[in-house]
PDB file of all heavy atoms in Angstrom:
ATOM      1  N   VAL A  28      15.571  82.860   0.302  1.00 97.00           N
ATOM      2  CA  VAL A  28      14.700  84.072   0.450  1.00 97.00           C
ATOM      3  C   VAL A  28      13.906  84.418  -0.776  1.00 97.00           C
ATOM      4  O   VAL A  28      12.760  84.739  -0.753  1.00 97.00           O
ATOM      5  CB  VAL A  28      15.510  85.276   0.989  1.00 97.00           C
ATOM      6  CG1 VAL A  28      14.659  86.544   0.987  1.00 97.00           C
ATOM      7  CG2 VAL A  28      16.065  85.012   2.373  1.00 97.00           C
ATOM      8  N   ALA A  29      14.536  84.289  -1.987  1.00 95.00           N
ATOM      9  CA  ALA A  29      13.867  84.590  -3.163  1.00 95.00           C
ATOM     10  C   ALA A  29      12.737  83.630  -3.504  1.00 95.00           C
ATOM     11  O   ALA A  29      11.757  83.986  -4.047  1.00 95.00           O
ATOM     12  CB  ALA A  29      14.893  84.589  -4.386  1.00 95.00           C
ATOM     13  N   GLY A  30      12.908  82.379  -3.173  1.00 93.00           N
ATOM     14  CA  GLY A  30      11.934  81.381  -3.433  1.00 93.00           C
ATOM     15  C   GLY A  30      10.791  81.421  -2.450  1.00 93.00           C
ATOM     16  O   GLY A  30       9.664  81.116  -2.850  1.00 93.00           O
ATOM     17  N   GLY A  31      11.044  81.672  -1.243  1.00 89.00           N
ATOM     18  CA  GLY A  31      10.017  81.685  -0.201  1.00 89.00           C
ATOM     19  C   GLY A  31       9.819  80.374   0.459  1.00 89.00           C
ATOM     20  O   GLY A  31      10.030  80.216   1.649  1.00 89.00           O
ATOM     21  N   ARG A  32       9.428  79.345  -0.237  1.00 86.00           N
ATOM     22  CA  ARG A  32       9.118  78.068   0.298  1.00 86.00           C
ATOM     23  C   ARG A  32      10.209  77.126  -0.142  1.00 86.00           C
ATOM     24  O   ARG A  32       9.972  76.298  -1.001  1.00 86.00           O
ATOM     25  CB  ARG A  32       7.750  77.501  -0.116  1.00 86.00           C
ATOM     26  CG  ARG A  32       6.694  78.424   0.405  1.00 86.00           C
ATOM     27  CD  ARG A  32       5.330  77.901  -0.011  1.00 86.00           C
ATOM     28  NE  ARG A  32       4.213  78.731   0.520  1.00 86.00           N
ATOM     29  CZ  ARG A  32       3.365  79.348  -0.227  1.00 86.00           C
ATOM     30  NH1 ARG A  32       3.427  79.135  -1.567  1.00 86.00           N
ATOM     31  NH2 ARG A  32       2.432  80.095   0.286  1.00 86.00           N
ATOM     32  N   ARG A  33      11.396  77.191   0.469  1.00 89.00           N
ATOM     33  CA  ARG A  33      12.497  76.356   0.028  1.00 89.00           C
ATOM     34  C   ARG A  33      13.148  75.769   1.279  1.00 89.00           C
ATOM     35  O   ARG A  33      13.045  76.296   2.373  1.00 89.00           O
ATOM     36  CB  ARG A  33      13.518  77.191  -0.735  1.00 89.00           C
ATOM     37  CG  ARG A  33      12.880  77.698  -2.054  1.00 89.00           C
ATOM     38  CD  ARG A  33      13.915  78.223  -2.983  1.00 89.00           C
ATOM     39  NE  ARG A  33      13.306  78.470  -4.298  1.00 89.00           N
ATOM     40  CZ  ARG A  33      13.764  79.262  -5.170  1.00 89.00           C
ATOM     41  NH1 ARG A  33      14.948  79.884  -4.948  1.00 89.00           N
ATOM     42  NH2 ARG A  33      13.269  79.393  -6.339  1.00 89.00           N
ATOM     43  N   ALA A  34      13.837  74.669   1.004  1.00 88.00           N
ATOM     44  CA  ALA A  34      14.599  74.000   2.065  1.00 88.00           C
ATOM     45  C   ALA A  34      16.065  73.805   1.597  1.00 88.00           C
ATOM     46  O   ALA A  34      16.300  73.723   0.405  1.00 88.00           O
ATOM     47  CB  ALA A  34      13.999  72.646   2.351  1.00 88.00           C
ATOM     48  N   LEU A  35      16.927  73.733   2.587  1.00 90.00           N
ATOM     49  CA  LEU A  35      18.323  73.569   2.236  1.00 90.00           C
ATOM     50  C   LEU A  35      18.710  72.163   2.661  1.00 90.00           C
ATOM     51  O   LEU A  35      18.846  71.838   3.854  1.00 90.00           O
ATOM     52  CB  LEU A  35      19.207  74.571   3.041  1.00 90.00           C
ATOM     53  CG  LEU A  35      18.891  76.045   2.797  1.00 90.00           C
ATOM     54  CD1 LEU A  35      19.701  76.905   3.724  1.00 90.00           C
ATOM     55  CD2 LEU A  35      19.128  76.411   1.349  1.00 90.00           C
ATOM     56  N   PHE A  36      18.912  71.329   1.693  1.00 91.00           N
ATOM     57  CA  PHE A  36      19.342  69.909   1.935  1.00 91.00           C
ATOM     58  C   PHE A  36      20.853  69.849   1.591  1.00 91.00           C
ATOM     59  O   PHE A  36      21.167  69.600   0.432  1.00 91.00           O
ATOM     60  CB  PHE A  36      18.467  68.941   1.091  1.00 91.00           C
ATOM     61  CG  PHE A  36      17.086  68.965   1.399  1.00 91.00           C
ATOM     62  CD1 PHE A  36      16.131  69.634   0.614  1.00 91.00           C
ATOM     63  CD2 PHE A  36      16.587  68.307   2.544  1.00 91.00           C
ATOM     64  CE1 PHE A  36      14.806  69.663   0.935  1.00 91.00           C
ATOM     65  CE2 PHE A  36      15.270  68.299   2.868  1.00 91.00           C
ATOM     66  CZ  PHE A  36      14.351  68.967   2.031  1.00 91.00           C
ATOM     67  N   GLU A  37      21.620  70.044   2.613  1.00 93.00           N
ATOM     68  CA  GLU A  37      23.091  70.048   2.348  1.00 93.00           C
ATOM     69  C   GLU A  37      23.774  69.056   3.241  1.00 93.00           C
ATOM     70  O   GLU A  37      23.228  68.611   4.249  1.00 93.00           O
ATOM     71  CB  GLU A  37      23.665  71.473   2.704  1.00 93.00           C
ATOM     72  CG  GLU A  37      23.072  72.590   1.874  1.00 93.00           C
ATOM     73  CD  GLU A  37      23.522  73.962   2.283  1.00 93.00           C
ATOM     74  OE1 GLU A  37      24.361  74.096   3.196  1.00 93.00           O
ATOM     75  OE2 GLU A  37      23.023  74.918   1.690  1.00 93.00           O
ATOM     76  N   ALA A  38      24.983  68.717   2.876  1.00 94.00           N
ATOM     77  CA  ALA A  38      25.740  67.729   3.636  1.00 94.00           C
ATOM     78  C   ALA A  38      26.106  68.283   5.013  1.00 94.00           C
ATOM     79  O   ALA A  38      26.070  69.464   5.212  1.00 94.00           O
ATOM     80  CB  ALA A  38      26.959  67.313   2.799  1.00 94.00           C
ATOM     81  N   PHE A  39      26.476  67.348   5.902  1.00 92.00           N
ATOM     82  CA  PHE A  39      26.906  67.671   7.216  1.00 92.00           C
ATOM     83  C   PHE A  39      28.074  68.651   7.157  1.00 92.00           C
ATOM     84  O   PHE A  39      29.037  68.458   6.386  1.00 92.00           O
ATOM     85  CB  PHE A  39      27.282  66.434   7.947  1.00 92.00           C
ATOM     86  CG  PHE A  39      27.759  66.643   9.392  1.00 92.00           C
ATOM     87  CD1 PHE A  39      26.850  66.872  10.378  1.00 92.00           C
ATOM     88  CD2 PHE A  39      29.118  66.601   9.621  1.00 92.00           C
ATOM     89  CE1 PHE A  39      27.337  67.106  11.646  1.00 92.00           C
ATOM     90  CE2 PHE A  39      29.582  66.819  10.927  1.00 92.00           C
ATOM     91  CZ  PHE A  39      28.676  67.096  11.998  1.00 92.00           C
ATOM     92  N   GLY A  40      28.067  69.687   7.996  1.00 94.00           N
ATOM     93  CA  GLY A  40      29.240  70.571   8.081  1.00 94.00           C
ATOM     94  C   GLY A  40      29.254  71.778   7.144  1.00 94.00           C
ATOM     95  O   GLY A  40      30.179  72.524   7.157  1.00 94.00           O
ATOM     96  N   LEU A  41      28.223  71.967   6.318  1.00 95.00           N
ATOM     97  CA  LEU A  41      28.165  73.084   5.443  1.00 95.00           C
ATOM     98  C   LEU A  41      27.537  74.332   5.971  1.00 95.00           C
ATOM     99  O   LEU A  41      27.470  75.399   5.327  1.00 95.00           O
ATOM    100  CB  LEU A  41      27.503  72.696   4.080  1.00 95.00           C
ATOM    101  CG  LEU A  41      28.255  71.739   3.239  1.00 95.00           C
ATOM    102  CD1 LEU A  41      27.493  71.297   1.984  1.00 95.00           C
ATOM    103  CD2 LEU A  41      29.636  72.241   2.905  1.00 95.00           C
ATOM    104  N   GLY A  42      27.034  74.275   7.223  1.00 95.00           N
ATOM    105  CA  GLY A  42      26.460  75.472   7.849  1.00 95.00           C
ATOM    106  C   GLY A  42      25.030  75.657   7.636  1.00 95.00           C
ATOM    107  O   GLY A  42      24.570  76.837   7.449  1.00 95.00           O
ATOM    108  N   LYS A  43      24.248  74.597   7.627  1.00 93.00           N
ATOM    109  CA  LYS A  43      22.780  74.782   7.435  1.00 93.00           C
ATOM    110  C   LYS A  43      22.184  75.568   8.491  1.00 93.00           C
ATOM    111  O   LYS A  43      21.285  76.417   8.265  1.00 93.00           O
ATOM    112  CB  LYS A  43      22.086  73.408   7.337  1.00 93.00           C
ATOM    113  CG  LYS A  43      22.434  72.585   6.120  1.00 93.00           C
ATOM    114  CD  LYS A  43      21.749  71.243   6.125  1.00 93.00           C
ATOM    115  CE  LYS A  43      22.197  70.295   7.193  1.00 93.00           C
ATOM    116  NZ  LYS A  43      23.574  69.906   7.103  1.00 93.00           N
ATOM    117  N   SER A  44      22.601  75.373   9.770  1.00 93.00           N
ATOM    118  CA  SER A  44      21.940  76.110  10.891  1.00 93.00           C
ATOM    119  C   SER A  44      22.167  77.650  10.771  1.00 93.00           C
ATOM    120  O   SER A  44      21.275  78.387  11.015  1.00 93.00           O
ATOM    121  CB  SER A  44      22.564  75.595  12.224  1.00 93.00           C
ATOM    122  OG  SER A  44      22.255  74.246  12.385  1.00 93.00           O
ATOM    123  N   VAL A  45      23.440  78.028  10.486  1.00 96.00           N
ATOM    124  CA  VAL A  45      23.658  79.486  10.347  1.00 96.00           C
ATOM    125  C   VAL A  45      22.954  80.091   9.184  1.00 96.00           C
ATOM    126  O   VAL A  45      22.458  81.168   9.285  1.00 96.00           O
ATOM    127  CB  VAL A  45      25.170  79.766  10.371  1.00 96.00           C
ATOM    128  CG1 VAL A  45      25.836  79.330   9.016  1.00 96.00           C
ATOM    129  CG2 VAL A  45      25.504  81.202  10.601  1.00 96.00           C
ATOM    130  N   GLN A  46      22.803  79.284   8.131  1.00 97.00           N
ATOM    131  CA  GLN A  46      22.042  79.761   6.955  1.00 97.00           C
ATOM    132  C   GLN A  46      20.534  79.980   7.342  1.00 97.00           C
ATOM    133  O   GLN A  46      19.899  80.940   6.927  1.00 97.00           O
ATOM    134  CB  GLN A  46      22.142  78.788   5.809  1.00 97.00           C
ATOM    135  CG  GLN A  46      23.563  78.727   5.176  1.00 97.00           C
ATOM    136  CD  GLN A  46      23.648  77.560   4.242  1.00 97.00           C
ATOM    137  OE1 GLN A  46      23.099  77.606   3.146  1.00 97.00           O
ATOM    138  NE2 GLN A  46      24.473  76.554   4.470  1.00 97.00           N
ATOM    139  N   GLN A  47      20.036  79.000   8.079  1.00 94.00           N
ATOM    140  CA  GLN A  47      18.605  79.025   8.445  1.00 94.00           C
ATOM    141  C   GLN A  47      18.399  80.218   9.412  1.00 94.00           C
ATOM    142  O   GLN A  47      17.371  80.923   9.247  1.00 94.00           O
ATOM    143  CB  GLN A  47      18.216  77.714   9.117  1.00 94.00           C
ATOM    144  CG  GLN A  47      16.811  77.623   9.395  1.00 94.00           C
ATOM    145  CD  GLN A  47      16.402  76.237   9.975  1.00 94.00           C
ATOM    146  OE1 GLN A  47      17.186  75.643  10.685  1.00 94.00           O
ATOM    147  NE2 GLN A  47      15.239  75.746   9.634  1.00 94.00           N
ATOM    148  N   LEU A  48      19.277  80.498  10.316  1.00 96.00           N
ATOM    149  CA  LEU A  48      19.136  81.601  11.209  1.00 96.00           C
ATOM    150  C   LEU A  48      19.161  82.957  10.415  1.00 96.00           C
ATOM    151  O   LEU A  48      18.340  83.836  10.704  1.00 96.00           O
ATOM    152  CB  LEU A  48      20.162  81.558  12.320  1.00 96.00           C
ATOM    153  CG  LEU A  48      20.081  80.451  13.278  1.00 96.00           C
ATOM    154  CD1 LEU A  48      21.339  80.396  14.177  1.00 96.00           C
ATOM    155  CD2 LEU A  48      18.866  80.659  14.164  1.00 96.00           C
ATOM    156  N   GLU A  49      20.059  83.007   9.477  1.00 97.00           N
ATOM    157  CA  GLU A  49      20.140  84.271   8.663  1.00 97.00           C
ATOM    158  C   GLU A  49      18.889  84.409   7.802  1.00 97.00           C
ATOM    159  O   GLU A  49      18.397  85.546   7.604  1.00 97.00           O
ATOM    160  CB  GLU A  49      21.407  84.265   7.863  1.00 97.00           C
ATOM    161  CG  GLU A  49      21.669  85.438   7.032  1.00 97.00           C
ATOM    162  CD  GLU A  49      21.867  86.696   7.828  1.00 97.00           C
ATOM    163  OE1 GLU A  49      21.887  86.663   9.097  1.00 97.00           O
ATOM    164  OE2 GLU A  49      21.967  87.787   7.234  1.00 97.00           O
ATOM    165  N   TRP A  50      18.463  83.331   7.245  1.00 95.00           N
ATOM    166  CA  TRP A  50      17.266  83.337   6.388  1.00 95.00           C
ATOM    167  C   TRP A  50      16.073  83.850   7.260  1.00 95.00           C
ATOM    168  O   TRP A  50      15.324  84.694   6.798  1.00 95.00           O
ATOM    169  CB  TRP A  50      17.053  81.920   5.938  1.00 95.00           C
ATOM    170  CG  TRP A  50      15.865  81.557   5.094  1.00 95.00           C
ATOM    171  CD1 TRP A  50      14.980  82.370   4.523  1.00 95.00           C
ATOM    172  CD2 TRP A  50      15.510  80.224   4.686  1.00 95.00           C
ATOM    173  NE1 TRP A  50      14.103  81.650   3.796  1.00 95.00           N
ATOM    174  CE2 TRP A  50      14.438  80.299   3.843  1.00 95.00           C
ATOM    175  CE3 TRP A  50      16.057  78.990   4.903  1.00 95.00           C
ATOM    176  CZ2 TRP A  50      13.788  79.227   3.308  1.00 95.00           C
ATOM    177  CZ3 TRP A  50      15.507  77.894   4.333  1.00 95.00           C
ATOM    178  CH2 TRP A  50      14.326  77.966   3.557  1.00 95.00           C
ATOM    179  N   CYS A  51      15.913  83.323   8.502  1.00 95.00           N
ATOM    180  CA  CYS A  51      14.829  83.737   9.322  1.00 95.00           C
ATOM    181  C   CYS A  51      15.015  85.174   9.735  1.00 95.00           C
ATOM    182  O   CYS A  51      13.995  85.921   9.870  1.00 95.00           O
ATOM    183  CB  CYS A  51      14.759  82.826  10.576  1.00 95.00           C
ATOM    184  SG  CYS A  51      14.142  81.210  10.258  1.00 95.00           S
ATOM    185  N   ARG A  52      16.177  85.645  10.036  1.00 97.00           N
ATOM    186  CA  ARG A  52      16.406  87.058  10.421  1.00 97.00           C
ATOM    187  C   ARG A  52      15.992  87.983   9.303  1.00 97.00           C
ATOM    188  O   ARG A  52      15.270  88.962   9.505  1.00 97.00           O
ATOM    189  CB  ARG A  52      17.870  87.291  10.713  1.00 97.00           C
ATOM    190  CG  ARG A  52      18.128  88.760  11.161  1.00 97.00           C
ATOM    191  CD  ARG A  52      19.637  89.038  11.106  1.00 97.00           C
ATOM    192  NE  ARG A  52      20.262  89.084   9.793  1.00 97.00           N
ATOM    193  CZ  ARG A  52      20.191  90.058   8.938  1.00 97.00           C
ATOM    194  NH1 ARG A  52      19.467  91.136   9.202  1.00 97.00           N
ATOM    195  NH2 ARG A  52      20.737  89.938   7.742  1.00 97.00           N
ATOM    196  N   ILE A  53      16.335  87.631   8.089  1.00 97.00           N
ATOM    197  CA  ILE A  53      15.983  88.524   6.963  1.00 97.00           C
ATOM    198  C   ILE A  53      14.491  88.546   6.737  1.00 97.00           C
ATOM    199  O   ILE A  53      13.850  89.586   6.550  1.00 97.00           O
ATOM    200  CB  ILE A  53      16.731  88.065   5.658  1.00 97.00           C
ATOM    201  CG1 ILE A  53      18.187  88.312   5.794  1.00 97.00           C
ATOM    202  CG2 ILE A  53      16.196  88.726   4.393  1.00 97.00           C
ATOM    203  CD1 ILE A  53      19.099  87.599   4.794  1.00 97.00           C
ATOM    204  N   ILE A  54      13.851  87.358   6.754  1.00 95.00           N
ATOM    205  CA  ILE A  54      12.425  87.284   6.498  1.00 95.00           C
ATOM    206  C   ILE A  54      11.660  87.963   7.631  1.00 95.00           C
ATOM    207  O   ILE A  54      10.685  88.740   7.403  1.00 95.00           O
ATOM    208  CB  ILE A  54      11.955  85.820   6.342  1.00 95.00           C
ATOM    209  CG1 ILE A  54      12.522  85.316   5.034  1.00 95.00           C
ATOM    210  CG2 ILE A  54      10.471  85.670   6.342  1.00 95.00           C
ATOM    211  CD1 ILE A  54      12.417  83.759   4.833  1.00 95.00           C
TER     212      ILE A  54
END
């Protein structure tokens, strides 16, 4: 959220989807 134009490149199973949903909710 602080960066604005950022991507989360994380390993399988670390919760990228839930992070993305929360990121979108906040924005």
Side-chain angles (χ1 to χ4, degrees):
V28 171
R32 297 181 180 122
R33 294 192 171 162
L35 303 174
F36 297 101
E37 299 175 5
F39 180 78
L41 291 178
K43 292 180 293 295
S44 296
V45 71
Q46 292 172 67
Q47 188 175 34
L48 290 170
E49 183 64 5
W50 179 5
C51 287
R52 181 193 66 79
I53 292 167
I54 291 172

